[in-house]
Amino acid sequence: MRRAEGAWLEALGPRAERRPPKIAPMAEPLQKKLQAELEKYQQLQKELGRAVAARQKLETQLTENNIVQEELQLLDESNSIFRLLGPVLLPQELRHAREHVGKRLQYITGELSRCEQQSQELQRRSEQQRQLLGRLQQELQARP
C-alpha cells in the first residue's frame, strides 16, 4: 500500500507535499499586510451580507404593511377590527388601526433608507479594500 501511495505522490510532483510557498524574507511583512487586509475585506463582505439580509426583511415588512393598509381602506366603521397582542385578540377602532399601520409604514420606510445608505457605504469600502488587495498582491508577485 505504501508503494502505491509513494508512486501517487511522485506522479503528482512537488505539489503533492502541499507546503506553503516559500516567501522571500523581504516579502514577509508584505505578506502579513496582505493577510490583514484580506481579513478586513472578508469582514466587510460579512457586514454587507447582513445589511442585504436586513434590507430584504424590511422590504418584506413594507410589502405586508402596504397590503394591510389597503385592506383597512376597504373597511368602514361598522366592521370590527381586532389586534393580536400576544395570545389575545383585542378590539381596536378602525381609526387607530389605520394610524398604527401608517406609523409603521413611516418607520419601515425610514429604516429602508438608512439600510440602503449603509449598504452603499459598505459597497464603497469593500470596493476600495478589493483594489488595495489587488495592488498588494501585484507588489508581492513582482518581488523576486
Side-chain angles (χ1 to χ4, degrees), residues 19-24:
R19 291 183 188 162
K22 291 186 179 181
I23 300 172

Side-chain angles (χ1 to χ4, degrees), residues 2 7 10 15 17 24 43 47 56 70 74 76-77 87 91 107 115 118 122 124 127:
R2 289 185 186 260
E10 286 176 25
R15 287 188 168 180
E17 296 176 21
Q43 184 63 32
E47 288 178 35
Q56 289 173 339
E70 289 172 12
L74 297 174
D76 60 19
E77 293 296 328
Y107 174 77
C115 195
Q118 180 185 18
L122 286 170
R124 184 188 63 77
E127 180 61 25

